[in-house]
């Protein structure tokens, strides 16, 4: 589980552990949050792994460490991501190029590299292992648009497309790939320092008059990772409370 120490990733990790699974908690620079999550999870055999997903070598080493700690990889959840404001009329050309490169590295190329490395472990699992699953955490912004951070919207659209391509490529190996596309999610104590507080403006975008709770996104990810969800492979599941309809 990448980006597992905060927010949605934290809720997803907790949901898997409550389901009886062993979880590898990935973080980049949130050791305290990762440690507190590890201490809170039910069950045994969980682990913490660290890498900057913009670093391909560190990414490969992190996936190998997760596989060693868990005794293999059955499920990968690509949750790690970060948005950096860069409105096209408000930044310099140097800032524009640097932000695009950093955003794509974290939100698209990084997940692609994690997936490549994790699939190698999935293909090496013994006969009789549960069907392997990959679930990507995309964004409503891939469809609705991200005018203040266009590279983020583009990266998430690429993540959706990558998931659909790999759903076709990996089906012959029994690996299903699906994506969730959340809208705004309520910040919590683990990510409040870098999330914009979700106020009335955000809540009013949904006819329910609120934003999502992290556990609601986690419930969908947990189902898509279940062996029974194989026929959802290739799907992109909107989780935005009817705030944007495709």
């Amino acid at each position: 589980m990448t980006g597992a120490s905060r927010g949605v990733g934290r809720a997803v990790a907790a949901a898997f552990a409550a389901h009886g699974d062993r979880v590898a908690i990935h973080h980049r620079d949130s050791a305290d949050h990762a440690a507190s999550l590890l201490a809170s999870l039910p069950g045994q055999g969980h682990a913490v792994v660290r890498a900057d997903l913009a670093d391909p070598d560190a990414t490969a080493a992190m996936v190998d460490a997760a596989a060693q700690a868990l005794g293999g990889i059955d499920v990968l959840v690509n949750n790690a991501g970060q948005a950096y404001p860069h409105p096209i009329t408000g930044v310099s050309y140097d800032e524009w190029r640097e932000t695009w490169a950093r955003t794509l590295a974290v939100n698209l190329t990084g997940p692609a590299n994690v997936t490549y490395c994790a699939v190698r472990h999935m293909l090496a699992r013994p006969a009789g292992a549960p069907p392997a699953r990959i679930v990507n955490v995309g964004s409503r912004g891939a469809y609705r648009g991200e005018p203040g951070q266009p590279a983020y919207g583009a990266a998430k659209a690429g993540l959706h497309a990558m998931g659909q391509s790999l759903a076709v490529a990996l089906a012959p190996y029994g690996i299903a790939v699906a994506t969730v596309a959340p809208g705004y999610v309520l910040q919590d104590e683990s990510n409040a320092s870098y999330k914009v507080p979700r106020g009335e403006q955000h809540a009013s975008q949904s006819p329910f008059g609120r934003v999502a709770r992290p556990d609601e996104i986690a419930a969908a990810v947990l189902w898509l990772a279940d062996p029974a969800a194989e026929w959802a492979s290739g799907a992109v599941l909107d989780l935005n409370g009817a705030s944007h309809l495709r």
Side-chain angles (χ1 to χ4, degrees), residues 73 116-126 132 170 172-175:
I73 297 175
Y116 180 93
C117 296
V119 165
R120 269 47 209 174
H121 290 283
M122 291 176 175
L123 295 176
R125 296 179 317 143
L170 295 174
Y173 303 95
I175 302 173

Side-chain angles (χ1 to χ4, degrees), residues 66-146:
Q68 182 175 8
L70 300 178
I73 297 175
D74 297 320
V75 175
L76 165 65
V77 181
N78 279 312
N79 169 76
Q82 183 68 55
Y84 309 98
H86 55 285
I88 191 168
T89 56
V91 296
S92 70
Y93 186 41
D94 286 344
E95 291 171 319
W96 175 261
R97 290 184 294 115
E98 190 277 333
T99 305
W100 270 86
R102 179 164 33 129
T103 302
L104 292 175
V106 172
N107 294 282
L108 182 56
T109 309
N113 291 340
V114 173
T115 301
Y116 180 93
C117 296
V119 165
R120 269 47 209 174
H121 290 283
M122 291 176 175
L123 295 176
R125 296 179 317 143
R133 298 286 182 262
I134 299 169
V135 183
N136 300 313
V137 179
S139 174
R140 176 188 72 167
Y143 303 111
R144 191 172 182 269
E146 294 283 356

Side-chain angles (χ1 to χ4, degrees), residues 2 24 48 62 77-78 87 102 116 119 122 165 168 187 190 204 209:
T2 67
V48 173
M62 179 272 294
V77 181
N78 279 312
R102 179 164 33 129
Y116 180 93
V119 165
M122 291 176 175
S165 295
V168 178
Q187 76 277 8
S190 72
S204 67

Side-chain angles (χ1 to χ4, degrees), residues 230-244:
E230 184 165 272
W231 229 235
S233 192
V236 179
L237 177 61
D238 292 331
L239 298 173
N240 63 55
S243 64
H244 181 72

Side-chain angles (χ1 to χ4, degrees), residues 85 149 184-187 191-199 201-202:
Q149 44 202 19
Y184 286 121
V185 180
L186 190 67
Q187 76 277 8
N191 63 11
S193 63
Y194 71 95
K195 284 280 190 184
V196 175
R198 305 310 190 198
Q201 178 184 6
H202 300 102

Side-chain angles (χ1 to χ4, degrees), residues 12-41:
V12 174
F16 274 97
H19 190 255
D21 298 305
R22 288 177 293 159
V23 179
I25 302 163
H26 160 263
H27 74 98
R28 182 187 64 184
D29 53 11
S30 304
D32 290 346
H33 286 301
S36 69
L37 174 59
L38 179 66
S40 73
L41 294 181

